[in-house]
Amino acid sequence: MNRMKDKVALFTGGGAGIGASAARVFCSEGASVVLVDQDRAALDRTAEAIRADIKGARVEVHAADVANADEAKRAVGKAITVFGRLDVLVNNAAMRNYAAIADATTEEWQAMLGVNLVGAANYCRAAIPELRRAGKGSIVTVSSCYAVTGRKGMGLYDATKAGLLAMTRTLAFEEAAHGVRANAVCPGSTLTDFHIGRAKAKGKSVEELKGERSDNSLVGRWASPEEIAWPILWLASDEASFITGATLMVDGGLSIM
C-alpha cells in the first residue's frame, strides 16, 4: 500500500474517468497528487471523493485548459509550492472529434492537436526540470489502442494518440541521461462516465452499453477505469525502473484481433 510513498504526481484530465481513477489509486499507494482539468466542478468532486475515501489523502486541484502552456507552468508550480517536489507526470487529458478525415476542417485538426498532442508537450516541458531534480522521475502518457490499429470515424483522435507514442519514444531517448523514464499506456474500451453519459443521452441503459463492446476485445467486455489505473501506477512506480520507451497495451487483446 506504499508503492508511491513520498512521491508527488500530476495528472492532466484528472477530473473524471481514467485520470480520476488513477489519482485515487496513486493516493491509495501513498502519493500526493495534483489534478488538472478544464472542468473545475469535476475536479472538486473528484478531490472530495478521494479525500473522503482515503484517510490522509493529499489532493490539490488546478483548473486549466491543457492547451495553455502558461497554465502548465502554473500547475507544476502548484505541485512544488504545496508538496515541494514532482516525481510523476501522467498525461491523460484528451478531447474527441467524430469527423471523417475527408470532412475534418483545419480548425478541428488544430483543436485536437492543441489538447491531445501539444497539451501533453506543454506539461512535459513544464514538468521535466522538476522530474530531473527529483531523481527517478517518470512520465506516463495515456494513448489509445487505436493508435496502433484502425477504425473509422475518429481519425483525428487516433492520429494524435499515435503521435503521443512517437513523443514517448523520443522522450525516453532524451531523458534517460537525466534519470527520467517515459512510457505509454494504450487503453481499450473503458467504461468511463463520458461513455455512460453519452449512452444515457441516447436513451440507452448501462447494461445495453456494456453489451455493445462484447466483441471488441478477446476479453469480451469493457475495462473499468481502475483496470487502466493500475498499469499506469505500475509504470510510474520504481517497480518499473528498467522500463522506458515502452507502449503497454491495456486493451483486452483488441490490438491483436
Side-chain angles (χ1 to χ4, degrees), residues 139-179:
I139 299 170
V140 182
T141 296
V142 180
S143 178
S144 168
C145 63
Y146 291 107
V148 299
T149 187
R151 61 177 167 174
K152 64 179 181 179
M154 288 190 70
L156 283 68
Y157 178 89
D158 296 346
T160 58
K161 290 296 186 175
L164 289 174
L165 298 185
M167 184 187 296
T168 296
R169 291 189 292 269
T170 300
L171 282 168
F173 270 100
E174 293 178 347
E175 294 306 313
H178 303 287

PDB file of all heavy atoms in Angstrom, residues 139-179:
ATOM      1  N   ILE A 139       7.306   9.748 -16.588  1.00  0.00           N
ATOM      2  CA  ILE A 139       6.196  10.281 -17.374  1.00  0.00           C
ATOM      3  C   ILE A 139       5.413   9.096 -17.920  1.00  0.00           C
ATOM      4  O   ILE A 139       5.982   8.207 -18.561  1.00  0.00           O
ATOM      5  CB  ILE A 139       6.696  11.142 -18.549  1.00  0.00           C
ATOM      6  CG1 ILE A 139       7.504  12.333 -18.041  1.00  0.00           C
ATOM      7  CG2 ILE A 139       5.521  11.610 -19.419  1.00  0.00           C
ATOM      8  CD1 ILE A 139       8.231  13.094 -19.142  1.00  0.00           C
ATOM      9  N   VAL A 140       4.120   9.065 -17.650  1.00  0.00           N
ATOM     10  CA  VAL A 140       3.243   8.040 -18.216  1.00  0.00           C
ATOM     11  C   VAL A 140       2.176   8.759 -19.034  1.00  0.00           C
ATOM     12  O   VAL A 140       1.453   9.607 -18.510  1.00  0.00           O
ATOM     13  CB  VAL A 140       2.585   7.165 -17.146  1.00  0.00           C
ATOM     14  CG1 VAL A 140       1.716   6.088 -17.810  1.00  0.00           C
ATOM     15  CG2 VAL A 140       3.635   6.520 -16.243  1.00  0.00           C
ATOM     16  N   THR A 141       2.103   8.439 -20.304  1.00  0.00           N
ATOM     17  CA  THR A 141       1.164   9.090 -21.208  1.00  0.00           C
ATOM     18  C   THR A 141       0.080   8.105 -21.613  1.00  0.00           C
ATOM     19  O   THR A 141       0.368   6.968 -21.995  1.00  0.00           O
ATOM     20  CB  THR A 141       1.892   9.619 -22.453  1.00  0.00           C
ATOM     21  OG1 THR A 141       2.811  10.642 -22.041  1.00  0.00           O
ATOM     22  CG2 THR A 141       0.924  10.199 -23.458  1.00  0.00           C
ATOM     23  N   VAL A 142      -1.164   8.546 -21.503  1.00  0.00           N
ATOM     24  CA  VAL A 142      -2.300   7.705 -21.870  1.00  0.00           C
ATOM     25  C   VAL A 142      -2.610   7.931 -23.343  1.00  0.00           C
ATOM     26  O   VAL A 142      -3.078   8.999 -23.740  1.00  0.00           O
ATOM     27  CB  VAL A 142      -3.527   8.010 -20.991  1.00  0.00           C
ATOM     28  CG1 VAL A 142      -4.703   7.119 -21.404  1.00  0.00           C
ATOM     29  CG2 VAL A 142      -3.191   7.802 -19.520  1.00  0.00           C
ATOM     30  N   SER A 143      -2.335   6.922 -24.148  1.00  0.00           N
ATOM     31  CA  SER A 143      -2.617   6.971 -25.577  1.00  0.00           C
ATOM     32  C   SER A 143      -3.918   6.187 -25.821  1.00  0.00           C
ATOM     33  O   SER A 143      -4.904   6.405 -25.125  1.00  0.00           O
ATOM     34  CB  SER A 143      -1.433   6.385 -26.358  1.00  0.00           C
ATOM     35  OG  SER A 143      -1.693   6.371 -27.739  1.00  0.00           O
ATOM     36  N   SER A 144      -3.929   5.304 -26.772  1.00  0.00           N
ATOM     37  CA  SER A 144      -5.124   4.518 -27.083  1.00  0.00           C
ATOM     38  C   SER A 144      -4.718   3.294 -27.890  1.00  0.00           C
ATOM     39  O   SER A 144      -3.745   3.352 -28.665  1.00  0.00           O
ATOM     40  CB  SER A 144      -6.112   5.348 -27.903  1.00  0.00           C
ATOM     41  OG  SER A 144      -7.148   4.539 -28.449  1.00  0.00           O
ATOM     42  N   CYS A 145      -5.471   2.212 -27.738  1.00  0.00           N
ATOM     43  CA  CYS A 145      -5.208   1.044 -28.575  1.00  0.00           C
ATOM     44  C   CYS A 145      -5.368   1.377 -30.048  1.00  0.00           C
ATOM     45  O   CYS A 145      -4.736   0.771 -30.916  1.00  0.00           O
ATOM     46  CB  CYS A 145      -6.130  -0.110 -28.180  1.00  0.00           C
ATOM     47  SG  CYS A 145      -7.885   0.230 -28.416  1.00  0.00           S
ATOM     48  N   TYR A 146      -6.178   2.402 -30.339  1.00  0.00           N
ATOM     49  CA  TYR A 146      -6.401   2.781 -31.732  1.00  0.00           C
ATOM     50  C   TYR A 146      -5.251   3.614 -32.292  1.00  0.00           C
ATOM     51  O   TYR A 146      -5.290   4.011 -33.456  1.00  0.00           O
ATOM     52  CB  TYR A 146      -7.733   3.501 -31.866  1.00  0.00           C
ATOM     53  CG  TYR A 146      -8.899   2.573 -31.645  1.00  0.00           C
ATOM     54  CD1 TYR A 146      -9.655   2.644 -30.475  1.00  0.00           C
ATOM     55  CD2 TYR A 146      -9.220   1.590 -32.575  1.00  0.00           C
ATOM     56  CE1 TYR A 146     -10.701   1.770 -30.253  1.00  0.00           C
ATOM     57  CE2 TYR A 146     -10.275   0.715 -32.360  1.00  0.00           C
ATOM     58  CZ  TYR A 146     -11.007   0.812 -31.199  1.00  0.00           C
ATOM     59  OH  TYR A 146     -12.044  -0.065 -30.984  1.00  0.00           O
ATOM     60  N   ALA A 147      -4.233   3.869 -31.478  1.00  0.00           N
ATOM     61  CA  ALA A 147      -3.009   4.461 -32.006  1.00  0.00           C
ATOM     62  C   ALA A 147      -2.231   3.453 -32.832  1.00  0.00           C
ATOM     63  O   ALA A 147      -1.374   3.838 -33.637  1.00  0.00           O
ATOM     64  CB  ALA A 147      -2.134   4.969 -30.863  1.00  0.00           C
ATOM     65  N   VAL A 148      -2.508   2.169 -32.648  1.00  0.00           N
ATOM     66  CA  VAL A 148      -1.756   1.122 -33.352  1.00  0.00           C
ATOM     67  C   VAL A 148      -2.641   0.236 -34.213  1.00  0.00           C
ATOM     68  O   VAL A 148      -2.156  -0.690 -34.860  1.00  0.00           O
ATOM     69  CB  VAL A 148      -0.956   0.250 -32.351  1.00  0.00           C
ATOM     70  CG1 VAL A 148       0.043   1.095 -31.591  1.00  0.00           C
ATOM     71  CG2 VAL A 148      -1.881  -0.473 -31.379  1.00  0.00           C
ATOM     72  N   THR A 149      -3.934   0.474 -34.207  1.00  0.00           N
ATOM     73  CA  THR A 149      -4.840  -0.278 -35.077  1.00  0.00           C
ATOM     74  C   THR A 149      -5.807   0.707 -35.717  1.00  0.00           C
ATOM     75  O   THR A 149      -5.725   1.901 -35.454  1.00  0.00           O
ATOM     76  CB  THR A 149      -5.580  -1.366 -34.280  1.00  0.00           C
ATOM     77  OG1 THR A 149      -6.321  -2.189 -35.186  1.00  0.00           O
ATOM     78  CG2 THR A 149      -6.526  -0.771 -33.249  1.00  0.00           C
ATOM     79  N   GLY A 150      -6.699   0.233 -36.567  1.00  0.00           N
ATOM     80  CA  GLY A 150      -7.532   1.154 -37.337  1.00  0.00           C
ATOM     81  C   GLY A 150      -9.012   1.067 -37.023  1.00  0.00           C
ATOM     82  O   GLY A 150      -9.499   0.082 -36.484  1.00  0.00           O
ATOM     83  N   ARG A 151      -9.705   2.108 -37.360  1.00  0.00           N
ATOM     84  CA  ARG A 151     -11.172   2.165 -37.301  1.00  0.00           C
ATOM     85  C   ARG A 151     -11.612   3.379 -38.101  1.00  0.00           C
ATOM     86  O   ARG A 151     -10.782   4.173 -38.541  1.00  0.00           O
ATOM     87  CB  ARG A 151     -11.668   2.260 -35.860  1.00  0.00           C
ATOM     88  CG  ARG A 151     -11.172   3.507 -35.128  1.00  0.00           C
ATOM     89  CD  ARG A 151     -11.745   3.612 -33.740  1.00  0.00           C
ATOM     90  NE  ARG A 151     -11.044   4.631 -32.959  1.00  0.00           N
ATOM     91  CZ  ARG A 151     -11.415   5.003 -31.743  1.00  0.00           C
ATOM     92  NH1 ARG A 151     -12.480   4.451 -31.168  1.00  0.00           N
ATOM     93  NH2 ARG A 151     -10.729   5.920 -31.087  1.00  0.00           N
ATOM     94  N   LYS A 152     -12.882   3.547 -38.282  1.00  0.00           N
ATOM     95  CA  LYS A 152     -13.370   4.731 -38.991  1.00  0.00           C
ATOM     96  C   LYS A 152     -14.069   5.670 -38.017  1.00  0.00           C
ATOM     97  O   LYS A 152     -14.566   5.247 -36.975  1.00  0.00           O
ATOM     98  CB  LYS A 152     -14.325   4.339 -40.111  1.00  0.00           C
ATOM     99  CG  LYS A 152     -15.621   3.674 -39.651  1.00  0.00           C
ATOM    100  CD  LYS A 152     -16.507   3.338 -40.847  1.00  0.00           C
ATOM    101  CE  LYS A 152     -17.816   2.692 -40.393  1.00  0.00           C
ATOM    102  NZ  LYS A 152     -18.699   2.388 -41.539  1.00  0.00           N
ATOM    103  N   GLY A 153     -14.071   6.950 -38.368  1.00  0.00           N
ATOM    104  CA  GLY A 153     -14.854   7.920 -37.628  1.00  0.00           C
ATOM    105  C   GLY A 153     -14.128   8.686 -36.551  1.00  0.00           C
ATOM    106  O   GLY A 153     -14.673   9.644 -36.008  1.00  0.00           O
ATOM    107  N   MET A 154     -12.901   8.285 -36.195  1.00  0.00           N
ATOM    108  CA  MET A 154     -12.162   9.019 -35.164  1.00  0.00           C
ATOM    109  C   MET A 154     -10.703   9.198 -35.567  1.00  0.00           C
ATOM    110  O   MET A 154      -9.784   9.074 -34.758  1.00  0.00           O
ATOM    111  CB  MET A 154     -12.261   8.324 -33.804  1.00  0.00           C
ATOM    112  CG  MET A 154     -13.641   8.440 -33.173  1.00  0.00           C
ATOM    113  SD  MET A 154     -13.685   7.886 -31.461  1.00  0.00           S
ATOM    114  CE  MET A 154     -12.753   9.195 -30.650  1.00  0.00           C
ATOM    115  N   GLY A 155     -10.499   9.506 -36.851  1.00  0.00           N
ATOM    116  CA  GLY A 155      -9.149   9.619 -37.369  1.00  0.00           C
ATOM    117  C   GLY A 155      -8.330  10.722 -36.725  1.00  0.00           C
ATOM    118  O   GLY A 155      -7.122  10.573 -36.522  1.00  0.00           O
ATOM    119  N   LEU A 156      -8.973  11.841 -36.370  1.00  0.00           N
ATOM    120  CA  LEU A 156      -8.238  12.942 -35.747  1.00  0.00           C
ATOM    121  C   LEU A 156      -7.736  12.529 -34.370  1.00  0.00           C
ATOM    122  O   LEU A 156      -6.567  12.745 -34.023  1.00  0.00           O
ATOM    123  CB  LEU A 156      -9.124  14.193 -35.635  1.00  0.00           C
ATOM    124  CG  LEU A 156      -9.337  15.017 -36.904  1.00  0.00           C
ATOM    125  CD1 LEU A 156     -10.163  14.261 -37.939  1.00  0.00           C
ATOM    126  CD2 LEU A 156      -9.992  16.353 -36.568  1.00  0.00           C
ATOM    127  N   TYR A 157      -8.607  11.941 -33.607  1.00  0.00           N
ATOM    128  CA  TYR A 157      -8.245  11.457 -32.265  1.00  0.00           C
ATOM    129  C   TYR A 157      -7.131  10.419 -32.348  1.00  0.00           C
ATOM    130  O   TYR A 157      -6.120  10.513 -31.642  1.00  0.00           O
ATOM    131  CB  TYR A 157      -9.497  10.862 -31.621  1.00  0.00           C
ATOM    132  CG  TYR A 157      -9.313  10.274 -30.242  1.00  0.00           C
ATOM    133  CD1 TYR A 157      -9.460  11.068 -29.094  1.00  0.00           C
ATOM    134  CD2 TYR A 157      -9.037   8.926 -30.072  1.00  0.00           C
ATOM    135  CE1 TYR A 157      -9.321  10.522 -27.834  1.00  0.00           C
ATOM    136  CE2 TYR A 157      -8.886   8.375 -28.808  1.00  0.00           C
ATOM    137  CZ  TYR A 157      -9.035   9.173 -27.693  1.00  0.00           C
ATOM    138  OH  TYR A 157      -8.899   8.624 -26.437  1.00  0.00           O
ATOM    139  N   ASP A 158      -7.307   9.448 -33.229  1.00  0.00           N
ATOM    140  CA  ASP A 158      -6.342   8.353 -33.315  1.00  0.00           C
ATOM    141  C   ASP A 158      -4.979   8.834 -33.808  1.00  0.00           C
ATOM    142  O   ASP A 158      -3.937   8.348 -33.363  1.00  0.00           O
ATOM    143  CB  ASP A 158      -6.875   7.250 -34.228  1.00  0.00           C
ATOM    144  CG  ASP A 158      -8.139   6.605 -33.673  1.00  0.00           C
ATOM    145  OD1 ASP A 158      -8.445   6.825 -32.481  1.00  0.00           O
ATOM    146  OD2 ASP A 158      -8.825   5.893 -34.431  1.00  0.00           O
ATOM    147  N   ALA A 159      -4.972   9.803 -34.706  1.00  0.00           N
ATOM    148  CA  ALA A 159      -3.703  10.345 -35.186  1.00  0.00           C
ATOM    149  C   ALA A 159      -2.940  11.031 -34.062  1.00  0.00           C
ATOM    150  O   ALA A 159      -1.713  10.886 -33.942  1.00  0.00           O
ATOM    151  CB  ALA A 159      -3.951  11.323 -36.335  1.00  0.00           C
ATOM    152  N   THR A 160      -3.652  11.792 -33.235  1.00  0.00           N
ATOM    153  CA  THR A 160      -2.970  12.450 -32.118  1.00  0.00           C
ATOM    154  C   THR A 160      -2.485  11.428 -31.101  1.00  0.00           C
ATOM    155  O   THR A 160      -1.406  11.587 -30.513  1.00  0.00           O
ATOM    156  CB  THR A 160      -3.876  13.474 -31.423  1.00  0.00           C
ATOM    157  OG1 THR A 160      -5.071  12.838 -30.940  1.00  0.00           O
ATOM    158  CG2 THR A 160      -4.255  14.597 -32.377  1.00  0.00           C
ATOM    159  N   LYS A 161      -3.253  10.357 -30.901  1.00  0.00           N
ATOM    160  CA  LYS A 161      -2.830   9.326 -29.957  1.00  0.00           C
ATOM    161  C   LYS A 161      -1.606   8.568 -30.473  1.00  0.00           C
ATOM    162  O   LYS A 161      -0.736   8.163 -29.688  1.00  0.00           O
ATOM    163  CB  LYS A 161      -3.986   8.361 -29.688  1.00  0.00           C
ATOM    164  CG  LYS A 161      -5.123   8.975 -28.878  1.00  0.00           C
ATOM    165  CD  LYS A 161      -4.676   9.355 -27.483  1.00  0.00           C
ATOM    166  CE  LYS A 161      -5.827   9.820 -26.614  1.00  0.00           C
ATOM    167  NZ  LYS A 161      -5.419  10.091 -25.215  1.00  0.00           N
ATOM    168  N   ALA A 162      -1.518   8.380 -31.786  1.00  0.00           N
ATOM    169  CA  ALA A 162      -0.317   7.774 -32.367  1.00  0.00           C
ATOM    170  C   ALA A 162       0.881   8.702 -32.197  1.00  0.00           C
ATOM    171  O   ALA A 162       2.000   8.254 -31.926  1.00  0.00           O
ATOM    172  CB  ALA A 162      -0.551   7.456 -33.840  1.00  0.00           C
ATOM    173  N   GLY A 163       0.651  10.000 -32.345  1.00  0.00           N
ATOM    174  CA  GLY A 163       1.716  10.964 -32.136  1.00  0.00           C
ATOM    175  C   GLY A 163       2.273  10.909 -30.727  1.00  0.00           C
ATOM    176  O   GLY A 163       3.482  11.089 -30.510  1.00  0.00           O
ATOM    177  N   LEU A 164       1.413  10.635 -29.751  1.00  0.00           N
ATOM    178  CA  LEU A 164       1.873  10.524 -28.366  1.00  0.00           C
ATOM    179  C   LEU A 164       2.850   9.360 -28.182  1.00  0.00           C
ATOM    180  O   LEU A 164       3.775   9.444 -27.366  1.00  0.00           O
ATOM    181  CB  LEU A 164       0.684  10.345 -27.427  1.00  0.00           C
ATOM    182  CG  LEU A 164      -0.202  11.566 -27.227  1.00  0.00           C
ATOM    183  CD1 LEU A 164      -1.419  11.197 -26.387  1.00  0.00           C
ATOM    184  CD2 LEU A 164       0.562  12.713 -26.573  1.00  0.00           C
ATOM    185  N   LEU A 165       2.661   8.294 -28.941  1.00  0.00           N
ATOM    186  CA  LEU A 165       3.590   7.163 -28.836  1.00  0.00           C
ATOM    187  C   LEU A 165       4.962   7.548 -29.370  1.00  0.00           C
ATOM    188  O   LEU A 165       5.996   7.192 -28.792  1.00  0.00           O
ATOM    189  CB  LEU A 165       3.039   5.950 -29.587  1.00  0.00           C
ATOM    190  CG  LEU A 165       1.719   5.386 -29.077  1.00  0.00           C
ATOM    191  CD1 LEU A 165       1.361   4.113 -29.845  1.00  0.00           C
ATOM    192  CD2 LEU A 165       1.758   5.119 -27.585  1.00  0.00           C
ATOM    193  N   ALA A 166       4.998   8.285 -30.472  1.00  0.00           N
ATOM    194  CA  ALA A 166       6.277   8.763 -31.004  1.00  0.00           C
ATOM    195  C   ALA A 166       6.941   9.722 -30.022  1.00  0.00           C
ATOM    196  O   ALA A 166       8.159   9.667 -29.793  1.00  0.00           O
ATOM    197  CB  ALA A 166       6.064   9.435 -32.356  1.00  0.00           C
ATOM    198  N   MET A 167       6.146  10.595 -29.422  1.00  0.00           N
ATOM    199  CA  MET A 167       6.682  11.525 -28.439  1.00  0.00           C
ATOM    200  C   MET A 167       7.273  10.776 -27.245  1.00  0.00           C
ATOM    201  O   MET A 167       8.342  11.134 -26.727  1.00  0.00           O
ATOM    202  CB  MET A 167       5.585  12.486 -27.959  1.00  0.00           C
ATOM    203  CG  MET A 167       6.096  13.547 -26.990  1.00  0.00           C
ATOM    204  SD  MET A 167       4.763  14.553 -26.282  1.00  0.00           S
ATOM    205  CE  MET A 167       4.146  15.345 -27.759  1.00  0.00           C
ATOM    206  N   THR A 168       6.588   9.736 -26.819  1.00  0.00           N
ATOM    207  CA  THR A 168       7.059   8.942 -25.682  1.00  0.00           C
ATOM    208  C   THR A 168       8.405   8.307 -25.969  1.00  0.00           C
ATOM    209  O   THR A 168       9.316   8.320 -25.121  1.00  0.00           O
ATOM    210  CB  THR A 168       6.020   7.859 -25.331  1.00  0.00           C
ATOM    211  OG1 THR A 168       4.806   8.493 -24.895  1.00  0.00           O
ATOM    212  CG2 THR A 168       6.526   6.934 -24.238  1.00  0.00           C
ATOM    213  N   ARG A 169       8.554   7.749 -27.162  1.00  0.00           N
ATOM    214  CA  ARG A 169       9.838   7.123 -27.505  1.00  0.00           C
ATOM    215  C   ARG A 169      10.968   8.151 -27.538  1.00  0.00           C
ATOM    216  O   ARG A 169      12.083   7.900 -27.059  1.00  0.00           O
ATOM    217  CB  ARG A 169       9.713   6.404 -28.857  1.00  0.00           C
ATOM    218  CG  ARG A 169       8.808   5.179 -28.806  1.00  0.00           C
ATOM    219  CD  ARG A 169       8.893   4.389 -30.097  1.00  0.00           C
ATOM    220  NE  ARG A 169       8.314   5.096 -31.229  1.00  0.00           N
ATOM    221  CZ  ARG A 169       7.041   4.991 -31.613  1.00  0.00           C
ATOM    222  NH1 ARG A 169       6.204   4.205 -30.933  1.00  0.00           N
ATOM    223  NH2 ARG A 169       6.595   5.635 -32.677  1.00  0.00           N
ATOM    224  N   THR A 170      10.679   9.327 -28.100  1.00  0.00           N
ATOM    225  CA  THR A 170      11.701  10.372 -28.142  1.00  0.00           C
ATOM    226  C   THR A 170      12.058  10.844 -26.737  1.00  0.00           C
ATOM    227  O   THR A 170      13.240  11.045 -26.414  1.00  0.00           O
ATOM    228  CB  THR A 170      11.215  11.555 -28.990  1.00  0.00           C
ATOM    229  OG1 THR A 170      10.944  11.098 -30.315  1.00  0.00           O
ATOM    230  CG2 THR A 170      12.254  12.660 -29.049  1.00  0.00           C
ATOM    231  N   LEU A 171      11.062  11.030 -25.892  1.00  0.00           N
ATOM    232  CA  LEU A 171      11.319  11.425 -24.504  1.00  0.00           C
ATOM    233  C   LEU A 171      12.203  10.409 -23.798  1.00  0.00           C
ATOM    234  O   LEU A 171      13.087  10.778 -23.019  1.00  0.00           O
ATOM    235  CB  LEU A 171      10.002  11.580 -23.749  1.00  0.00           C
ATOM    236  CG  LEU A 171       9.215  12.866 -23.989  1.00  0.00           C
ATOM    237  CD1 LEU A 171       7.816  12.740 -23.402  1.00  0.00           C
ATOM    238  CD2 LEU A 171       9.948  14.060 -23.373  1.00  0.00           C
ATOM    239  N   ALA A 172      11.957   9.122 -24.061  1.00  0.00           N
ATOM    240  CA  ALA A 172      12.765   8.079 -23.428  1.00  0.00           C
ATOM    241  C   ALA A 172      14.231   8.243 -23.797  1.00  0.00           C
ATOM    242  O   ALA A 172      15.122   8.128 -22.939  1.00  0.00           O
ATOM    243  CB  ALA A 172      12.258   6.698 -23.836  1.00  0.00           C
ATOM    244  N   PHE A 173      14.499   8.536 -25.066  1.00  0.00           N
ATOM    245  CA  PHE A 173      15.876   8.761 -25.515  1.00  0.00           C
ATOM    246  C   PHE A 173      16.467  10.009 -24.858  1.00  0.00           C
ATOM    247  O   PHE A 173      17.598   9.999 -24.359  1.00  0.00           O
ATOM    248  CB  PHE A 173      15.918   8.934 -27.041  1.00  0.00           C
ATOM    249  CG  PHE A 173      16.099   7.652 -27.799  1.00  0.00           C
ATOM    250  CD1 PHE A 173      15.014   7.010 -28.376  1.00  0.00           C
ATOM    251  CD2 PHE A 173      17.363   7.083 -27.941  1.00  0.00           C
ATOM    252  CE1 PHE A 173      15.183   5.831 -29.081  1.00  0.00           C
ATOM    253  CE2 PHE A 173      17.543   5.908 -28.646  1.00  0.00           C
ATOM    254  CZ  PHE A 173      16.448   5.266 -29.220  1.00  0.00           C
ATOM    255  N   GLU A 174      15.693  11.093 -24.888  1.00  0.00           N
ATOM    256  CA  GLU A 174      16.227  12.376 -24.449  1.00  0.00           C
ATOM    257  C   GLU A 174      16.420  12.471 -22.941  1.00  0.00           C
ATOM    258  O   GLU A 174      17.326  13.170 -22.464  1.00  0.00           O
ATOM    259  CB  GLU A 174      15.318  13.507 -24.929  1.00  0.00           C
ATOM    260  CG  GLU A 174      15.320  13.668 -26.448  1.00  0.00           C
ATOM    261  CD  GLU A 174      14.381  14.752 -26.937  1.00  0.00           C
ATOM    262  OE1 GLU A 174      13.539  15.225 -26.140  1.00  0.00           O
ATOM    263  OE2 GLU A 174      14.481  15.124 -28.117  1.00  0.00           O
ATOM    264  N   GLU A 175      15.578  11.773 -22.186  1.00  0.00           N
ATOM    265  CA  GLU A 175      15.598  11.939 -20.736  1.00  0.00           C
ATOM    266  C   GLU A 175      16.302  10.827 -19.970  1.00  0.00           C
ATOM    267  O   GLU A 175      16.476  10.931 -18.753  1.00  0.00           O
ATOM    268  CB  GLU A 175      14.163  12.085 -20.218  1.00  0.00           C
ATOM    269  CG  GLU A 175      13.480  13.354 -20.682  1.00  0.00           C
ATOM    270  CD  GLU A 175      14.289  14.598 -20.341  1.00  0.00           C
ATOM    271  OE1 GLU A 175      14.754  14.703 -19.174  1.00  0.00           O
ATOM    272  OE2 GLU A 175      14.479  15.449 -21.233  1.00  0.00           O
ATOM    273  N   ALA A 176      16.724   9.775 -20.654  1.00  0.00           N
ATOM    274  CA  ALA A 176      17.392   8.669 -19.953  1.00  0.00           C
ATOM    275  C   ALA A 176      18.617   9.145 -19.182  1.00  0.00           C
ATOM    276  O   ALA A 176      18.858   8.728 -18.034  1.00  0.00           O
ATOM    277  CB  ALA A 176      17.786   7.574 -20.949  1.00  0.00           C
ATOM    278  N   ALA A 177      19.385  10.039 -19.771  1.00  0.00           N
ATOM    279  CA  ALA A 177      20.592  10.537 -19.113  1.00  0.00           C
ATOM    280  C   ALA A 177      20.282  11.345 -17.861  1.00  0.00           C
ATOM    281  O   ALA A 177      21.154  11.525 -17.001  1.00  0.00           O
ATOM    282  CB  ALA A 177      21.399  11.398 -20.090  1.00  0.00           C
ATOM    283  N   HIS A 178      19.042  11.808 -17.760  1.00  0.00           N
ATOM    284  CA  HIS A 178      18.632  12.615 -16.611  1.00  0.00           C
ATOM    285  C   HIS A 178      17.852  11.804 -15.580  1.00  0.00           C
ATOM    286  O   HIS A 178      17.336  12.375 -14.611  1.00  0.00           O
ATOM    287  CB  HIS A 178      17.776  13.790 -17.083  1.00  0.00           C
ATOM    288  CG  HIS A 178      18.454  14.663 -18.097  1.00  0.00           C
ATOM    289  ND1 HIS A 178      19.479  15.523 -17.776  1.00  0.00           N
ATOM    290  CD2 HIS A 178      18.278  14.776 -19.438  1.00  0.00           C
ATOM    291  CE1 HIS A 178      19.888  16.151 -18.854  1.00  0.00           C
ATOM    292  NE2 HIS A 178      19.183  15.719 -19.891  1.00  0.00           N
ATOM    293  N   GLY A 179      17.746  10.499 -15.785  1.00  0.00           N
ATOM    294  CA  GLY A 179      17.055   9.646 -14.828  1.00  0.00           C
ATOM    295  C   GLY A 179      15.546   9.685 -14.915  1.00  0.00           C
ATOM    296  O   GLY A 179      14.853   9.251 -13.987  1.00  0.00           O
TER     297      GLY A 179
END
